[in-house]
Amino acid sequence: MTLKPRLLWGGGVFVAAMVIAAITLMWKPAIVPIIPPPAASFDAQTRLAGARVVALGDCIVCHTAKGGQPFAGGLPLATPFGTIYATNITPDAETGIGTWSLEAFTRAIRYGIARDGHLLYPAFPYIHFTRMSDGDISAAYAYLMTRDPVKATAPSNKLIFPLNFRPLLAFWNVLFLRPGPQASDPSKDPQWNRGKLLVDGLGHCASCHSPLNLIGGEERGRAFDGGVVDGWEAPPLNALGAATKPWTQAQLVTYLRTGRASEHGAAAGPMLPVTRDLAAVPEADVQAIATYLLSVQKPQPAATGAPAQSVALSTDVQNGAVLFAASCAQCHGPHAPMQSIGERPTLAFSTAVNATTPRNVIQMILGGINWHGEDTMNYMPAFNQVYSDQQVADLASYIRATYSQRAPWTDVEKTVENIRKENDAR
Ligand code: HEC
Ligand code: HEC
Ligand code: HEC
């Protein structure tokens, strides 16, 4: 292939501009440390507002290790480039952000730069948080600086060369960071604008619900087309009308605040903690999120009708039927008490059961849903230790054949095997 000289020239200029931009961004000065301010220096109202901001931003989800102190860090985040540990954001002076001024905190949120000047990895979703208002940033600061300080240092990251060299992140930032608060769109009403701010900014929904490119950036123009995170599929958020029962505003609000919607299914995997956080914020915020989401829907291709189901049931489906009767029907069968009172969605409405790949159904069977809150309705046992790859695959194939109109999944057993391996490595 020969490139036109003009293109080459243009490309050269682009690369040169990028290198210059990145080099100027590589080294940032440290911001002078402060003595941790006393809790009393933050007023109660700002702290309260901060609790809401911190919930909307899921800060506690990433910044708390399994069984660890809230916000003390140490949770490993798996990326294709290795493991990154979330850091301690309690106000401990030595190991947390106790010596960070509001200015340093704001720079971290808006530009992904730590107080001492090192660049932060985008596993910290600053490319989204940068949209936050100054008011929200200072409220989050007030809230975090008035938590109990915890002495804890996160383990060091295990990243592949050369990504363990932080200054290189400057190149990434040139490509993916558009810093600054969100300007509101005067042609839209305040609720829509609030929703956009929460979805694109604090809620960083696209960070899971969008496909990522080879260097871990969200693919341009494909926000909300769906992604994969921690071995789960995060379904598209712009095709909510394609569900067996198209999502309504009310169902979205219920799902996002309770982790369950009667005409869809339950939030599990990495979505579960998001819904637990959203349960703690005013309903108006979640209404705004739902309003904005419903405004970004893509037109759906006309339904193509049900595929011809084969008349003779394959052996995997038959075997799956036996296992289902033994282990699942008491909750999911048509006569299960929770089905008949109409509280639990039939598997026919489930996004996972109707998805292109069996990934989330397999994750659900392997991991179940832990007890959470006081809501026993949400419990499903884990079958990881109970069934072989083949049996989990048979169950998935049975559910697909019985509850979905869509074509059977292929290579299900192989997928189970891979998912188990991925989960073990996590
Ligand atoms: C998706 C996971 C995730 C979420 C959600 C998240 N963080 Fe983080 N955060 C990280 C990771 C990972 C790091 C460490 C990055 C690094 O070491 O380069 C980090 C680093 C930080 C730092 C820099 C701390 C230091 O010592 O360098 C601050 C400040 C911070 N986060 C604040 C927040 C706040 C405030 C929220 C909520 C509004 C939040 N984070 C939500 C993953 C997350
Ligand atoms: C940490 C990753 C992550 C983040 C952040 C996240 N989601 Fe999700 N979301 C998922 C996953 C994974 C699923 C699938 C869960 C399942 O099948 O149980 C999901 C499912 C959903 C669903 C159900 C979709 C369907 O068709 O069934 C909705 C709606 C949703 N998310 C909205 C949001 C919104 C709004 C935000 C931002 C406020 C958000 N999500 C943030 C990972 C995430
Ligand atoms: C103790 C009750 C219980 C048992 C037993 C149980 N489940 Fe579940 N299952 C649940 C609950 C609760 C949910 C969350 C959604 C809901 O309320 O239906 C769920 C969700 C699911 C989903 C995802 C539906 C969605 O939310 O999108 C699948 C798939 C599934 N179960 C399959 C199975 C299979 C296969 C078995 C047997 C191997 C099984 N379940 C056994 C309670 C149960």
Side-chain angles (χ1 to χ4, degrees):
M1 190 178 77
T2 52
L3 279 173
K4 293 206 179 75
R6 265 223 341 258
L7 267 182
L8 266 180
W9 169 233
V13 170
F14 173 77
V15 170
M18 189 169 150
V19 169
I20 291 167
I23 286 171
T24 58
L25 292 171
M26 270 183 195
W27 285 278
K28 287 290 162 197
I31 292 177
V32 275
I34 57 167
I35 293 166
S41 62
F42 298 97
D43 69 276
Q45 215 169 348
T46 315
R47 281 151 62 172
L48 202 64
R52 174 177 176 182
V53 172
V54 164
L56 284 162
D58 300 324
C59 318
I60 200 168
V61 176
C62 287
H63 283 280
T64 308
K66 237 184 214 148
Q69 299 285 334
F71 304 110
L75 184 79
L77 302 176
T79 76
F81 318 105
T83 305
I84 299 177
Y85 291 87
T87 45
N88 180 349
I89 53 169
T90 71
D92 182 59
E94 273 168 52
T95 62
I97 58 168
T99 60
W100 291 41
S101 58
L102 175 60
E103 183 196 355
F105 183 78
T106 305
R107 186 173 72 167
I109 298 279
R110 286 228 197 280
Y111 300 96
I113 301 169
R115 187 196 61 74
D116 66 6
H118 74 257
L119 301 191
L120 295 164
Y121 287 105
F124 166 43
Y126 58 87
I127 64 158
H128 294 285
F129 291 160
T130 189
R131 296 283 166 269
M132 287 164 67
S133 66
D134 286 336
D136 277 359
I137 295 178
S138 46
Y141 178 73
Y143 180 81
L144 290 171
M145 293 302 270
T146 51
R147 296 307 92 198
D148 288 334
V150 179
K151 207 170 276 314
T153 305
S156 10
N157 298 330
K158 297 183 192 73
L159 290 167
I160 53 169
F161 177 82
L163 293 177
N164 46 4
F165 184 60
R166 288 182 183 263
L168 288 183
L169 288 166
F171 288 98
W172 199 92
N173 286 340
V174 170
L175 290 172
F176 299 108
L177 173 64
R178 301 283 168 272
Q182 174 180 291
S184 74
D185 178 346
S187 73
K188 298 288 200 329
D189 65 28
Q191 195 196 34
W192 183 93
N193 274 299
R194 172 87 182 141
K196 179 171 168 60
L197 180 61
L198 294 179
V199 168
D200 291 350
L202 255 179
H204 60 280
C205 316
S207 66
C208 292
H209 284 278
S210 306
L212 301 185
N213 60 25
L214 281 178
I215 51 170
E218 289 163 30
E219 282 184 31
R220 201 153 297 202
R222 300 198 55 200
F224 311 124
D225 278 0
V228 175
V229 52
D230 290 352
W232 287 73
E233 252 172 52
L237 292 182
N238 54 17
L240 296 174
T244 312
K245 294 263 176 164
W247 287 88
T248 62
Q249 169 104 11
Q251 286 163 8
L252 277 171
V253 171
T254 309
Y255 177 89
L256 292 170
R257 301 194 83 213
T258 66
R260 192 174 62 227
S262 62
E263 301 201 310
H264 297 277
M271 188 61 198
L272 183 56
V274 176
T275 61
R276 305 225 64 200
D277 264 347
L278 291 178
V281 304
E283 187 186 320
D285 283 346
V286 184
Q287 291 283 1
I289 289 175
T291 300
Y292 176 68
L293 280 187
L294 288 172
S295 80
V296 299
Q297 300 305 308
K298 287 190 170 167
Q300 290 305 313
T304 48
Q309 300 276 337
S310 55
V311 188
L313 288 179
S314 54
T315 27
D316 53 342
V317 171
Q318 282 174 13
N319 292 341
V322 175
L323 299 176
F324 190 87
S327 296
C328 324
Q330 77 264 33
C331 292
H332 292 293
H335 304 298
M338 285 176 186
Q339 293 278 333
S340 42
I341 54 173
E343 295 250 10
R344 171 161 295 160
T346 135
L347 290 177
F349 295 159
S350 157
T351 305
V353 174
N354 290 294
T356 325
T357 78
R359 183 169 277 279
N360 285 3
V361 163
I362 293 169
Q363 289 284 25
M364 197 70 127
I365 298 174
L366 293 177
I369 308 177
N370 274 328
W371 293 104
H372 59 96
E374 302 80 55
D375 194 353
T376 55
M377 277 283 296
N378 270 344
Y379 173 71
M380 167 165 156
F383 292 92
N384 199 6
Q385 308 287 331
V386 181
Y387 289 131
S388 66
D389 293 352
Q390 176 71 62
Q391 288 171 314
V392 173
D394 290 349
L395 278 164
S397 301
Y398 167 76
I399 291 177
R400 178 73 161 188
T402 313
Y403 292 98
S404 175
Q405 305 288 349
R406 305 187 187 185
W409 289 313
T410 51
D411 287 334
V412 188
E413 193 186 344
K414 186 77 200 148
T415 313
V416 178
E417 191 193 321
N418 290 342
I419 290 178
R420 276 211 226 245
K421 272 194 209 130
E422 291 167 21
N423 287 354
D424 287 346
R426 204 157 270 125

